[in-house]
Amino acid sequence: MYQNQITASSDTWWLPKTPLKNDLAIMDAFILGKKRLQGTPSNFTDTMMNNANSVRLYLRCTFLSDIVGPDKCSIAPWATAGGPPLLGSESYPAQTPPTDRMLQHWNQLLRSCFLTSTNLIANPPTITPSPQMSPPPTTFTQYLLTNEHELSIMGPGVLNKDDIAESFANRLRSGLTIKAFGDGTVKDGIGAHGWHIRPDLDLTHGLLSIESAAQTDGHQDTISSLRTESAAVLAALYLIRAICTFYDIKKSPSYIQYHLDNKEALRRLNNTDDATFFDTANPITTDYDIWAAIRDATSSTPGIHFGTHVKGHQDEHNPIESLSPEAQMNIRMDKIAGDCRIAHPSPLPAKAHLGNQVSLTLNGHIVTTKFTFNYVLPSQHHPFRTTSSGKRTGMTTFSS
């Protein structure tokens, strides 16, 4: 994965927690050591990494603290000797006892990554002081600031709108309709989205509305209007979900209607419950990550969510004042998205979106499902021509 610049992200990471300071995961330390020593005579080869990982799995250890000796500053003799394995509640793949060659590589990597010249641990794990608990947020704006990821999708326009957010909460409790509008724009590999929620289509007042815009993340070579307009839907969803969470709204009969000019984005929004439709798509070419995040958000946000199409750019041939309120709002969303894009001169790389339990980054593209398919597909084409082989060591290796 390191050789081919593949990264993995997960909201539900399988690594157990450690209460200790300086307590590195052993394989993480080995990977950092491989990067540090790359191009030197001491470089860790793939065989060394695989052998060391086989020993680790046989010993059933994950963190440095698992193999620290009683003196708390050296590696336990049983760990360097290759056994016996630890007993614990964690599940590990079945492993045969390590060979002498495996143990040689295991101890070589341990010395390089953890030990000083005197065979003592350079930074031994220590008890971490209990952190001071932050007080819970008392305002809606404070609550939004606790989730940096979702705020980056929504944009700064949602902050300091606590009274308006509470009014929307009352509408959701009462089952009243909420209107959402969104649009997106892309130029020169830079995308942005604008969005707006309000209680009705009476555009003569704008007091009870929240409007914002943000740069859309995505690979500069493939980002499209579909991605930016889907991001507008996701931003509105995140705000409504945040309102429901902060104001403790578990259920709502409200209709939340999204007005968009992108029919594919609407088709996805209106088919979030159709697993067949979702599973048969090609994840690497259809902005699967934002689509998956929308599916997750609609399933966890009270209300009845559906989309309605509005024709875009109607002001090209008609005076704005002669257009329907939906068309006027669409034109406004196009403008604020465009202004936001101009304000950001550089592309925003694709990032892992919440709601995707695991995601891979392949050459800057986010993939959230069908990993084997999406790894094999680019591997057939230059410049990402690689092969993969899974081993019973709990670690997959990639070679060019």
Side-chain angles (χ1 to χ4, degrees):
M1 292 177 71
Y2 163 69
Q3 286 180 342
N4 294 302
Q5 297 182 327
I6 301 172
T7 59
S9 302
S10 172
D11 287 343
T12 53
W13 200 246
W14 51 84
L15 199 64
K17 300 291 185 183
T18 174
L20 303 178
K21 184 180 180 181
N22 300 328
D23 197 11
L24 281 176
I26 295 171
M27 286 309 299
D28 285 351
F30 289 172
I31 291 170
L32 290 173
K34 182 176 177 63
K35 292 180 180 179
R36 174 171 51 86
L37 297 172
Q38 187 176 24
T40 72
S42 302
N43 179 46
F44 300 166
T45 65
D46 290 342
T47 298
M48 295 169 64
M49 295 286 284
N50 280 325
N51 284 343
N53 191 49
S54 295
V55 177
R56 181 191 69 84
L57 292 172
Y58 173 74
L59 296 178
R60 300 172 60 86
C61 55
T62 300
F63 291 100
L64 173 61
S65 59
D66 294 334
I67 57 174
V68 169
D71 60 2
K72 305 300 183 184
C73 60
S74 62
I75 303 294
W78 64 266
T80 58
L86 290 172
L87 298 176
S89 60
E90 299 293 335
S91 297
Y92 289 82
Q95 298 289 319
T96 57
T99 64
D100 290 343
R101 184 67 169 168
M102 290 178 178
L103 282 173
Q104 177 187 352
H105 289 155
W106 163 252
N107 285 302
Q108 182 177 343
L109 267 62
L110 286 179
R111 286 193 299 271
S112 178
C113 295
F114 294 118
L115 302 181
T116 66
S117 58
T118 57
N119 287 329
L120 297 178
I121 299 174
N123 294 293
T126 57
I127 299 296
T128 303
S130 299
Q132 295 294 322
M133 297 298 293
S134 300
T138 58
T139 68
F140 184 63
T141 292
Q142 290 176 357
Y143 174 72
L144 291 176
L145 290 170
T146 64
N147 193 325
E148 182 180 347
H149 173 83
E150 293 188 9
L151 183 59
S152 71
I153 306 297
M154 291 184 283
V158 298
L159 300 176
N160 302 312
K161 302 288 175 62
D162 295 16
D163 291 343
I164 299 175
E166 186 172 3
S167 297
F168 276 112
N170 292 331
R171 291 188 69 84
L172 289 163
R173 289 193 186 97
S174 303
L176 300 177
T177 297
I178 292 177
K179 301 282 188 179
F181 302 86
D183 203 6
T185 177
V186 176
K187 186 176 181 181
D188 299 328
I190 303 172
H193 55 276
W195 60 279
H196 178 115
I197 65 169
R198 61 186 304 111
D200 51 46
L201 290 174
D202 183 0
L203 303 187
T204 60
H205 69 83
L207 296 178
L208 188 59
S209 66
I210 295 178
E211 180 176 287
S212 190
Q215 187 176 8
T216 311
D217 71 283
H219 195 282
Q220 62 181 357
D221 294 336
T222 58
I223 190 169
S224 66
S225 60
L226 172 60
R227 184 174 186 83
T228 61
E229 299 197 27
S230 296
V233 173
L234 185 59
L237 268 168
Y238 279 162
L239 178 65
I240 294 170
R241 184 169 69 177
I243 290 172
C244 292
T245 302
F246 182 77
Y247 293 101
D248 196 27
I249 301 171
K250 299 291 193 300
K251 293 182 180 180
S252 172
S254 292
Y255 286 94
I256 297 140
Q257 184 177 14
Y258 301 80
H259 298 266
L260 301 170
D261 61 18
N262 190 302
K263 291 184 179 180
E264 177 60 19
L266 286 170
R267 188 167 74 105
R268 296 179 178 192
L269 175 62
N270 290 331
N271 289 277
T272 54
D273 295 330
D274 187 347
T276 302
F277 175 50
F278 181 76
D279 293 340
T280 55
N282 178 353
I284 206 167
T285 59
T286 55
D287 301 306
Y288 221 69
D289 54 334
I290 288 187
W291 189 6
I294 289 173
R295 282 167 53 93
D296 173 74
T298 53
S299 67
S300 57
T301 304
I304 302 167
H305 304 267
F306 68 100
T308 301
H309 183 255
V310 54
K311 184 179 179 181
H313 307 290
Q314 295 187 45
D315 57 328
E316 292 179 353
H317 305 291
N318 302 283
I320 292 180
E321 59 274 10
S322 69
L323 301 176
S324 67
E326 295 91 338
Q328 291 186 47
M329 287 301 302
N330 178 263
I331 293 165
R332 178 171 177 79
M333 294 305 98
D334 181 62
K335 182 180 186 308
I336 67 170
D339 291 343
C340 181
R341 175 182 55 76
I342 293 171
H344 294 85
S346 301
L348 180 63
K351 55 188 174 184
H353 283 266
L354 305 181
N356 302 309
Q357 289 191 340
V358 178
S359 62
L360 291 179
T361 303
L362 300 178
N363 279 11
H365 300 273
I366 295 288
V367 181
T368 58
T369 190
K370 297 183 181 177
F371 297 116
T372 302
F373 171 79
N374 286 290
Y375 177 66
V376 172
L377 183 66
S379 74
Q380 299 169 350
H381 305 282
H382 183 80
F384 192 80
R385 186 175 294 118
T386 57
T387 58
S388 66
S389 60
K391 299 182 180 292
R392 293 192 62 190
T393 59
M395 176 178 172
T396 301
T397 59
F398 299 84
S399 58
S400 296

